Amino acid sequence: MSEAPVRASRRGRRAKGNATSEPAAFQQLPWKQLKHLDGFTEVATAEQLDMIHDTSMRILEEVGIDVLNEEARRLMVEAGAKLGDDGTRMYFDRGLIMEKIATVPTEFTLHARNPAHSIQIGGPYINFGSVASAPNTNSLDGGRRAGNQQDYRDFLKLIQSFNIIHFTSGYPVEPVDIHASVRHLDCLADCVRLTDKPFHAYSLGQQRNLDALEIARIGRGISQEQLLQETSLFTVINSSSPLRLDDPMLQGIIEMSAMNQAVVLTPFTLAGAMAPVTIAGALAQQNAEALAGIAFTQIVRAGSPAVYGGFTSNVDMKSGAPAFGTPEYLRAAQISGQLARRYGIPFRSSNVNAANSVDAQAGYESTMALWGAMSGGCNFLMHGAGWLEGGLSASFEKLVMDVDLLQMMAVCLEGVEITEASLALDAVKDVGPGGHFFGTEHTMSRYKDAFYSPLVSDWRNFESWAEAGAPSTVQHANTLYKRILNEYQPPALDPAIDEELEAFVTRRKAEGGVATDF
């Protein structure tokens, strides 16, 4: 379990194997594999889902998708797809698509190097990941700055320390001070050393995927055969909307699916820009792109794990800038979840916003996005904590505030206890009309566990808050993340594994890493 000290949760529980008599560094819920409550928001009727599905199939049959990798085209043709006269456009019969996606597991385990942090993907399960892929870091005292290795490592330490973050979505911030030819080696080695949770590999060329697979294998201390049996790494594959799968993404599917590792197929369909301006049209295109990519994972290796990614939103038609956390984003997430369940494939969504600072806009857009993900039945939440500025910045303070939001969602997933004791009829009789419940036995025996205690919200009255210097929520978050970093202890790592990891990274660096254009 997480090495960070953990105080008992709101119901007085501790994470198994993580109880400690030491004082808590900060208050948080214990690590837990979360499950949805029964029932999701069904925005589209069955007939409307059929219409989206049929339109998606017609797109694949009549319009086709550009496939920019020769090996991928060869495999698709061998499976029964048709190659267009231009040599790159592929056409898929709906029967072929449905035959292939039928072999996708409805649920699978994503193994961590610490078995206690392995997670179930699909079915009733919901998992929260960190912000990923931001080119810039943002913090209250450091401002907005280009991503660097120190900030990258600090984000990993926070991801490890917060139990509510189940996996590392990717590089929380891109450390541009490490040369691109070897960046993946340092970054993935840091994922092994600084966290013991599942992590992600970028599909940016065959060799990066092969290096990532080897680092994941070394980190878990397992053989190639066991890696093939146990999914231990995931990659996000973005179709290049509209209707294109590019060479690095296809190569990533080939390498990852062949080794039984997870592929999260996510079209980047922005209504009005890379997709039709209507949500229905954008979803039909998203569905076509997602299913074509997922079908290809099964062409590579039937039964390999895949996730249906929904990322449809809209753009500001005045500026062309992406918008997130909008009503359109929420509805698209809910319907995407319906589509994923229709096909029996785990569903990915995101916690996103377009705010340029950690302000009210960031909060309400993230809440809207998270509402769409949760009510849509998301199994795998990318960018769950720290996303800012439409993904252009990773914010330390926003990460802490999002952790609070995710913990609130976790408490909501517990439902409400309704028993004879919790209905408290005897307490109501004792107090009667006009009294209060502060000092009753019913309250005193439960008050420590009664409600969620937030990490950063300040619930003092105005006078005591003002007397303390009127600290803002962002200031509280700033203080907390720096305190956690100061108290961070790396998770245990077998010295033999660390030695093997160091030898591999050193050798690959000596070989030059991967070829780059810069």
Side-chain angles (χ1 to χ4, degrees):
M1 307 301 290
S2 170
E3 294 292 320
V6 179
R7 199 178 83 177
S9 77
R10 72 185 191 100
R11 296 192 187 280
R13 296 169 297 184
R14 294 185 186 273
K16 291 182 180 179
N18 202 34
T20 175
S21 59
E22 297 297 320
F26 58 96
Q27 176 176 294
Q28 63 170 323
L29 300 180
W31 192 96
K32 181 181 180 182
Q33 177 71 85
L34 302 173
K35 289 185 178 181
H36 285 287
L37 296 174
D38 292 336
F40 303 114
T41 301
E42 303 287 332
V43 176
T45 65
E47 181 181 5
Q48 290 169 332
L49 287 181
D50 287 342
M51 293 172 65
I52 294 173
H53 169 79
D54 182 65
T55 302
S56 301
M57 294 300 103
R58 292 190 62 186
I59 290 171
L60 296 176
E61 292 169 337
E62 301 171 21
V63 182
I65 289 183
D66 285 345
V67 175
L68 306 184
N69 176 278
E70 184 177 357
E71 184 181 3
R73 292 193 297 269
R74 178 183 62 80
L75 291 170
M76 290 174 181
V77 169
E78 288 178 359
K82 297 177 181 178
L83 180 62
D85 293 339
D86 66 351
T88 59
R89 185 73 57 87
M90 298 298 307
Y91 299 88
F92 300 86
D93 178 80
R94 67 184 64 200
L96 173 63
I97 292 292
M98 298 308 292
E99 173 193 338
K100 294 304 178 183
I101 68 171
T103 61
V104 177
T106 58
E107 187 179 317
F108 64 92
T109 302
L110 182 57
H111 293 268
R113 73 172 183 85
N114 177 359
H117 282 156
S118 296
I119 53 179
Q120 290 297 114
I121 311 298
Y125 297 101
I126 169 69
N127 301 278
F128 300 137
S130 64
V131 61
S133 308
N136 301 296
T137 302
N138 193 305
S139 64
L140 190 63
D141 36 18
R144 186 181 189 268
R145 55 196 181 272
N148 60 71
Q149 188 176 36
Q150 184 58 57
D151 285 338
Y152 168 76
R153 287 174 169 172
D154 284 346
F155 274 113
L156 288 185
K157 293 174 183 178
L158 293 173
I159 290 165
Q160 174 66 17
S161 299
F162 282 117
N163 294 325
I164 200 66
I165 302 179
H166 297 98
F167 62 93
T168 301
S169 298
Y171 308 163
V173 68
E174 190 79 19
V176 297
D177 53 344
I178 308 174
H179 195 273
S181 63
V182 297
R183 186 180 302 160
H184 67 292
L185 298 169
D186 283 332
C187 287
L188 295 178
D190 282 342
C191 282
V192 172
R193 292 184 172 115
L194 300 178
T195 80
D196 60 9
K197 299 178 180 181
F199 58 90
H200 164 275
Y202 288 103
S203 289
L204 298 173
Q206 180 185 38
Q207 189 58 56
R208 284 187 177 88
N209 285 107
L210 294 176
D211 288 341
L213 288 163
E214 181 62 4
I215 288 173
R217 184 198 67 77
I218 293 170
R220 288 195 60 214
I222 60 177
S223 65
Q224 284 283 350
E225 291 74 19
Q226 190 172 350
L227 180 66
L228 184 63
Q229 296 299 316
E230 298 179 350
T231 302
S232 307
L233 189 67
F234 77 96
T235 190
V236 173
I237 299 297
N238 295 119
S239 52
S240 182
S241 304
L243 301 174
R244 176 170 288 175
L245 286 164
D246 65 26
D247 183 67
M249 297 287 103
L250 288 160
Q251 193 65 58
I253 293 176
I254 291 169
E255 300 302 333
M256 294 287 284
S257 294
M259 283 298 297
N260 196 36
Q261 305 305 299
V263 170
V264 183
L265 204 298
T266 311
F268 190 52
T269 39
L270 292 178
M274 287 90 80
V277 74
T278 56
I279 293 300
L283 285 172
Q285 182 186 307
Q286 170 194 283
N287 199 49
E289 294 178 9
L291 293 185
I294 291 170
F296 182 55
T297 68
Q298 304 307 293
I299 289 172
V300 173
R301 186 182 193 276
S304 62
V307 177
Y308 181 111
F311 204 71
T312 292
S313 191
N314 56 295
V315 297
D316 180 347
M317 297 305 293
K318 293 177 290 185
S319 67
F324 297 107
T326 62
E328 291 79 12
Y329 182 92
L330 183 150
R331 289 304 196 198
Q334 292 169 327
I335 299 173
S336 295
Q338 288 183 263
L339 289 165
R341 290 191 295 278
R342 173 194 175 105
Y343 304 122
I345 303 173
F347 172 46
R348 167 254 164 113
S349 191
S350 299
N351 174 16
V352 287
N353 67 90
N356 293 316
S357 64
V358 185
D359 56 13
Q361 179 187 345
Y364 65 68
E365 288 184 353
S366 287
T367 302
M368 285 285 283
L370 193 55
W371 178 20
M374 299 297 287
S375 61
C378 173
N379 303 114
F380 198 73
L381 186 81
M382 295 285 290
H383 311 301
W387 168 293
L388 194 66
E389 197 190 336
L392 294 178
S393 288
S395 164
F396 285 110
E397 290 84 10
K398 183 66 162 56
L399 184 142
V400 174
M401 293 167 68
D402 282 336
V403 163
D404 235 350
L405 185 56
L406 295 177
Q407 289 198 148
M408 291 180 191
M409 291 297 158
V411 172
C412 290
L413 291 175
E414 295 180 1
V416 176
E417 177 190 0
I418 301 178
T419 63
E420 288 295 328
S422 68
L423 287 167
L425 178 59
D426 289 341
V428 174
K429 289 179 178 180
D430 288 344
V431 171
H436 67 77
F437 290 82
F438 281 114
T440 66
E441 187 279 331
H442 185 271
T443 299
M444 296 304 292
S445 64
R446 293 171 173 81
Y447 80 95
K448 289 183 179 179
D449 302 325
F451 306 114
Y452 173 71
S453 297
L455 295 171
V456 294
S457 297
D458 197 330
W459 288 352
R460 291 174 292 182
N461 62 31
F462 181 87
E463 288 75 19
S464 60
W465 169 76
E467 187 176 330
S472 69
T473 303
V474 179
Q475 288 169 330
H476 279 307
N478 177 270
T479 299
L480 182 57
Y481 96 74
K482 289 187 289 190
R483 177 182 175 187
I484 294 170
L485 289 178
N486 186 57
E487 297 173 347
Y488 166 85
Q489 295 293 322
L493 180 64
D494 187 325
I497 289 177
D498 191 41
E499 183 178 341
E500 184 179 2
L501 178 62
E502 182 63 27
F504 175 76
V505 170
T506 299
R507 175 175 64 81
R508 288 290 298 118
K509 284 185 175 182
E511 294 169 350
V514 297
T516 64
D517 296 328
F518 47 95

mmCIF file of all heavy atoms in Angstrom, residues 68-93:
data_model
loop_
_atom_site.group_PDB
_atom_site.id
_atom_site.type_symbol
_atom_site.label_atom_id
_atom_site.label_comp_id
_atom_site.label_asym_id
_atom_site.label_seq_id
_atom_site.Cartn_x
_atom_site.Cartn_y
_atom_site.Cartn_z
ATOM 1 N N LEU A 68 -2.223 4.721 -41.740
ATOM 2 C CA LEU A 68 -0.925 5.189 -42.221
ATOM 3 C C LEU A 68 0.239 4.311 -41.775
ATOM 4 O O LEU A 68 1.323 4.801 -41.481
ATOM 5 C CB LEU A 68 -0.710 6.640 -41.776
ATOM 6 C CG LEU A 68 -1.819 7.633 -42.157
ATOM 7 C CD1 LEU A 68 -1.435 9.041 -41.757
ATOM 8 C CD2 LEU A 68 -2.139 7.558 -43.645
ATOM 9 N N ASN A 69 -0.002 3.007 -41.725
ATOM 10 C CA ASN A 69 1.052 2.063 -41.368
ATOM 11 C C ASN A 69 0.891 0.832 -42.247
ATOM 12 O O ASN A 69 -0.179 0.210 -42.273
ATOM 13 C CB ASN A 69 0.966 1.691 -39.885
ATOM 14 C CG ASN A 69 1.980 0.644 -39.479
ATOM 15 O OD1 ASN A 69 1.762 -0.538 -39.672
ATOM 16 N ND2 ASN A 69 3.099 1.081 -38.903
ATOM 17 N N GLU A 70 1.953 0.473 -42.963
ATOM 18 C CA GLU A 70 1.865 -0.600 -43.941
ATOM 19 C C GLU A 70 1.545 -1.943 -43.300
ATOM 20 O O GLU A 70 0.715 -2.712 -43.797
ATOM 21 C CB GLU A 70 3.180 -0.692 -44.722
ATOM 22 C CG GLU A 70 3.164 -1.726 -45.835
ATOM 23 C CD GLU A 70 4.454 -1.744 -46.628
ATOM 24 O OE1 GLU A 70 5.355 -0.915 -46.353
ATOM 25 O OE2 GLU A 70 4.577 -2.602 -47.537
ATOM 26 N N GLU A 71 2.199 -2.251 -42.177
ATOM 27 C CA GLU A 71 1.936 -3.528 -41.519
ATOM 28 C C GLU A 71 0.500 -3.606 -41.026
ATOM 29 O O GLU A 71 -0.149 -4.654 -41.129
ATOM 30 C CB GLU A 71 2.899 -3.736 -40.355
ATOM 31 C CG GLU A 71 2.742 -5.094 -39.678
ATOM 32 C CD GLU A 71 3.680 -5.294 -38.508
ATOM 33 O OE1 GLU A 71 4.433 -4.356 -38.157
ATOM 34 O OE2 GLU A 71 3.675 -6.404 -37.929
ATOM 35 N N ALA A 72 -0.016 -2.503 -40.507
ATOM 36 C CA ALA A 72 -1.399 -2.486 -40.037
ATOM 37 C C ALA A 72 -2.359 -2.730 -41.193
ATOM 38 O O ALA A 72 -3.329 -3.506 -41.063
ATOM 39 C CB ALA A 72 -1.707 -1.154 -39.358
ATOM 40 N N ARG A 73 -2.114 -2.100 -42.331
ATOM 41 C CA ARG A 73 -2.974 -2.320 -43.498
ATOM 42 C C ARG A 73 -2.935 -3.787 -43.938
ATOM 43 O O ARG A 73 -3.969 -4.378 -44.265
ATOM 44 C CB ARG A 73 -2.553 -1.406 -44.657
ATOM 45 C CG ARG A 73 -2.811 0.068 -44.410
ATOM 46 C CD ARG A 73 -2.680 0.879 -45.693
ATOM 47 N NE ARG A 73 -1.345 0.836 -46.265
ATOM 48 C CZ ARG A 73 -0.373 1.697 -46.001
ATOM 49 N NH1 ARG A 73 -0.601 2.701 -45.129
ATOM 50 N NH2 ARG A 73 0.810 1.607 -46.579
ATOM 51 N N ARG A 74 -1.735 -4.382 -43.921
ATOM 52 C CA ARG A 74 -1.613 -5.781 -44.305
ATOM 53 C C ARG A 74 -2.427 -6.680 -43.379
ATOM 54 O O ARG A 74 -3.163 -7.568 -43.840
ATOM 55 C CB ARG A 74 -0.145 -6.200 -44.289
ATOM 56 C CG ARG A 74 0.078 -7.675 -44.631
ATOM 57 C CD ARG A 74 1.541 -8.061 -44.523
ATOM 58 N NE ARG A 74 2.065 -7.899 -43.180
ATOM 59 C CZ ARG A 74 1.873 -8.773 -42.186
ATOM 60 N NH1 ARG A 74 1.127 -9.857 -42.395
ATOM 61 N NH2 ARG A 74 2.399 -8.558 -41.003
ATOM 62 N N LEU A 75 -2.315 -6.444 -42.067
ATOM 63 C CA LEU A 75 -3.055 -7.260 -41.100
ATOM 64 C C LEU A 75 -4.562 -7.073 -41.259
ATOM 65 O O LEU A 75 -5.335 -8.038 -41.145
ATOM 66 C CB LEU A 75 -2.622 -6.903 -39.678
ATOM 67 C CG LEU A 75 -1.196 -7.303 -39.284
ATOM 68 C CD1 LEU A 75 -0.810 -6.673 -37.949
ATOM 69 C CD2 LEU A 75 -1.048 -8.823 -39.225
ATOM 70 N N MET A 76 -4.991 -5.833 -41.504
ATOM 71 C CA MET A 76 -6.421 -5.570 -41.679
ATOM 72 C C MET A 76 -6.961 -6.265 -42.923
ATOM 73 O O MET A 76 -8.059 -6.843 -42.902
ATOM 74 C CB MET A 76 -6.659 -4.061 -41.762
ATOM 75 C CG MET A 76 -6.437 -3.322 -40.459
ATOM 76 S SD MET A 76 -6.556 -1.515 -40.682
ATOM 77 C CE MET A 76 -6.230 -0.941 -39.010
ATOM 78 N N VAL A 77 -6.218 -6.205 -44.022
ATOM 79 C CA VAL A 77 -6.650 -6.866 -45.253
ATOM 80 C C VAL A 77 -6.737 -8.371 -45.036
ATOM 81 O O VAL A 77 -7.701 -9.030 -45.467
ATOM 82 C CB VAL A 77 -5.697 -6.525 -46.419
ATOM 83 C CG1 VAL A 77 -5.977 -7.425 -47.620
ATOM 84 C CG2 VAL A 77 -5.841 -5.057 -46.814
ATOM 85 N N GLU A 78 -5.763 -8.950 -44.361
ATOM 86 C CA GLU A 78 -5.785 -10.395 -44.075
ATOM 87 C C GLU A 78 -6.999 -10.768 -43.235
ATOM 88 O O GLU A 78 -7.527 -11.888 -43.346
ATOM 89 C CB GLU A 78 -4.507 -10.804 -43.355
ATOM 90 C CG GLU A 78 -3.265 -10.794 -44.239
ATOM 91 C CD GLU A 78 -2.008 -11.156 -43.470
ATOM 92 O OE1 GLU A 78 -2.114 -11.389 -42.242
ATOM 93 O OE2 GLU A 78 -0.928 -11.217 -44.088
ATOM 94 N N ALA A 79 -7.457 -9.820 -42.378
ATOM 95 C CA ALA A 79 -8.619 -10.091 -41.523
ATOM 96 C C ALA A 79 -9.937 -9.899 -42.256
ATOM 97 O O ALA A 79 -10.990 -10.288 -41.740
ATOM 98 C CB ALA A 79 -8.577 -9.190 -40.293
ATOM 99 N N GLY A 80 -9.913 -9.264 -43.456
ATOM 100 C CA GLY A 80 -11.138 -9.097 -44.224
ATOM 101 C C GLY A 80 -11.524 -7.676 -44.546
ATOM 102 O O GLY A 80 -12.545 -7.437 -45.209
ATOM 103 N N ALA A 81 -10.735 -6.691 -44.095
ATOM 104 C CA ALA A 81 -10.999 -5.299 -44.454
ATOM 105 C C ALA A 81 -10.572 -5.060 -45.898
ATOM 106 O O ALA A 81 -9.798 -5.837 -46.480
ATOM 107 C CB ALA A 81 -10.258 -4.360 -43.509
ATOM 108 N N LYS A 82 -11.076 -3.974 -46.488
ATOM 109 C CA LYS A 82 -10.794 -3.678 -47.886
ATOM 110 C C LYS A 82 -9.921 -2.436 -47.997
ATOM 111 O O LYS A 82 -10.179 -1.428 -47.333
ATOM 112 C CB LYS A 82 -12.095 -3.473 -48.660
ATOM 113 C CG LYS A 82 -12.976 -4.723 -48.703
ATOM 114 C CD LYS A 82 -14.287 -4.449 -49.425
ATOM 115 C CE LYS A 82 -15.174 -5.701 -49.433
ATOM 116 N NZ LYS A 82 -16.488 -5.433 -50.096
ATOM 117 N N LEU A 83 -8.907 -2.516 -48.852
ATOM 118 C CA LEU A 83 -7.996 -1.398 -49.085
ATOM 119 C C LEU A 83 -8.470 -0.600 -50.289
ATOM 120 O O LEU A 83 -8.754 -1.170 -51.356
ATOM 121 C CB LEU A 83 -6.577 -1.917 -49.317
ATOM 122 C CG LEU A 83 -5.490 -0.872 -49.585
ATOM 123 C CD1 LEU A 83 -5.330 0.066 -48.390
ATOM 124 C CD2 LEU A 83 -4.169 -1.559 -49.908
ATOM 125 N N GLY A 84 -8.563 0.733 -50.120
ATOM 126 C CA GLY A 84 -9.011 1.596 -51.203
ATOM 127 C C GLY A 84 -7.956 1.756 -52.274
ATOM 128 O O GLY A 84 -6.782 1.383 -52.116
ATOM 129 N N ASP A 85 -8.365 2.380 -53.373
ATOM 130 C CA ASP A 85 -7.477 2.556 -54.517
ATOM 131 C C ASP A 85 -6.295 3.473 -54.214
ATOM 132 O O ASP A 85 -5.260 3.383 -54.885
ATOM 133 C CB ASP A 85 -8.270 3.118 -55.697
ATOM 134 C CG ASP A 85 -9.289 2.126 -56.229
ATOM 135 O OD1 ASP A 85 -9.120 0.925 -55.977
ATOM 136 O OD2 ASP A 85 -10.264 2.577 -56.878
ATOM 137 N N ASP A 86 -6.445 4.343 -53.194
ATOM 138 C CA ASP A 86 -5.348 5.269 -52.874
ATOM 139 C C ASP A 86 -4.228 4.606 -52.089
ATOM 140 O O ASP A 86 -3.177 5.198 -51.869
ATOM 141 C CB ASP A 86 -5.873 6.484 -52.118
ATOM 142 C CG ASP A 86 -6.416 6.141 -50.735
ATOM 143 O OD1 ASP A 86 -6.539 4.927 -50.418
ATOM 144 O OD2 ASP A 86 -6.714 7.071 -49.968
ATOM 145 N N GLY A 87 -4.441 3.385 -51.642
ATOM 146 C CA GLY A 87 -3.398 2.642 -50.952
ATOM 147 C C GLY A 87 -3.323 2.853 -49.457
ATOM 148 O O GLY A 87 -2.532 2.181 -48.773
ATOM 149 N N THR A 88 -4.128 3.755 -48.898
ATOM 150 C CA THR A 88 -4.108 3.995 -47.447
ATOM 151 C C THR A 88 -5.497 3.915 -46.809
ATOM 152 O O THR A 88 -5.601 3.682 -45.607
ATOM 153 C CB THR A 88 -3.506 5.374 -47.110
ATOM 154 O OG1 THR A 88 -4.273 6.400 -47.754
ATOM 155 C CG2 THR A 88 -2.056 5.461 -47.562
ATOM 156 N N ARG A 89 -6.548 4.150 -47.572
ATOM 157 C CA ARG A 89 -7.902 4.157 -47.010
ATOM 158 C C ARG A 89 -8.402 2.724 -46.830
ATOM 159 O O ARG A 89 -8.365 1.932 -47.767
ATOM 160 C CB ARG A 89 -8.834 4.936 -47.938
ATOM 161 C CG ARG A 89 -10.274 5.132 -47.431
ATOM 162 C CD ARG A 89 -10.350 6.136 -46.302
ATOM 163 N NE ARG A 89 -9.808 7.427 -46.664
ATOM 164 C CZ ARG A 89 -10.488 8.412 -47.256
ATOM 165 N NH1 ARG A 89 -11.768 8.232 -47.578
ATOM 166 N NH2 ARG A 89 -9.903 9.563 -47.515
ATOM 167 N N MET A 90 -8.849 2.420 -45.595
ATOM 168 C CA MET A 90 -9.372 1.093 -45.286
ATOM 169 C C MET A 90 -10.874 1.178 -45.054
ATOM 170 O O MET A 90 -11.379 2.122 -44.430
ATOM 171 C CB MET A 90 -8.709 0.519 -44.039
ATOM 172 C CG MET A 90 -7.208 0.299 -44.146
ATOM 173 S SD MET A 90 -6.703 -0.887 -45.411
ATOM 174 C CE MET A 90 -7.694 -2.307 -44.985
ATOM 175 N N TYR A 91 -11.581 0.156 -45.545
ATOM 176 C CA TYR A 91 -13.029 0.069 -45.385
ATOM 177 C C TYR A 91 -13.344 -1.213 -44.610
ATOM 178 O O TYR A 91 -12.783 -2.274 -44.896
ATOM 179 C CB TYR A 91 -13.726 0.048 -46.750
ATOM 180 C CG TYR A 91 -13.479 1.293 -47.563
ATOM 181 C CD1 TYR A 91 -12.362 1.390 -48.397
ATOM 182 C CD2 TYR A 91 -14.345 2.377 -47.485
ATOM 183 C CE1 TYR A 91 -12.123 2.534 -49.139
ATOM 184 C CE2 TYR A 91 -14.115 3.531 -48.229
ATOM 185 C CZ TYR A 91 -12.997 3.597 -49.054
ATOM 186 O OH TYR A 91 -12.756 4.740 -49.773
ATOM 187 N N PHE A 92 -14.258 -1.085 -43.636
ATOM 188 C CA PHE A 92 -14.557 -2.200 -42.736
ATOM 189 C C PHE A 92 -16.041 -2.548 -42.819
ATOM 190 O O PHE A 92 -16.906 -1.684 -42.590
ATOM 191 C CB PHE A 92 -14.216 -1.838 -41.292
ATOM 192 C CG PHE A 92 -12.778 -1.480 -41.063
ATOM 193 C CD1 PHE A 92 -12.330 -0.180 -41.258
ATOM 194 C CD2 PHE A 92 -11.862 -2.444 -40.668
ATOM 195 C CE1 PHE A 92 -11.007 0.160 -41.051
ATOM 196 C CE2 PHE A 92 -10.535 -2.122 -40.464
ATOM 197 C CZ PHE A 92 -10.106 -0.817 -40.654
ATOM 198 N N ASP A 93 -16.325 -3.801 -43.099
ATOM 199 C CA ASP A 93 -17.700 -4.291 -43.028
ATOM 200 C C ASP A 93 -18.125 -4.368 -41.570
ATOM 201 O O ASP A 93 -17.338 -4.734 -40.690
ATOM 202 C CB ASP A 93 -17.779 -5.669 -43.680
ATOM 203 C CG ASP A 93 -19.169 -6.267 -43.599
ATOM 204 O OD1 ASP A 93 -20.018 -5.882 -44.412
ATOM 205 O OD2 ASP A 93 -19.398 -7.103 -42.689
#
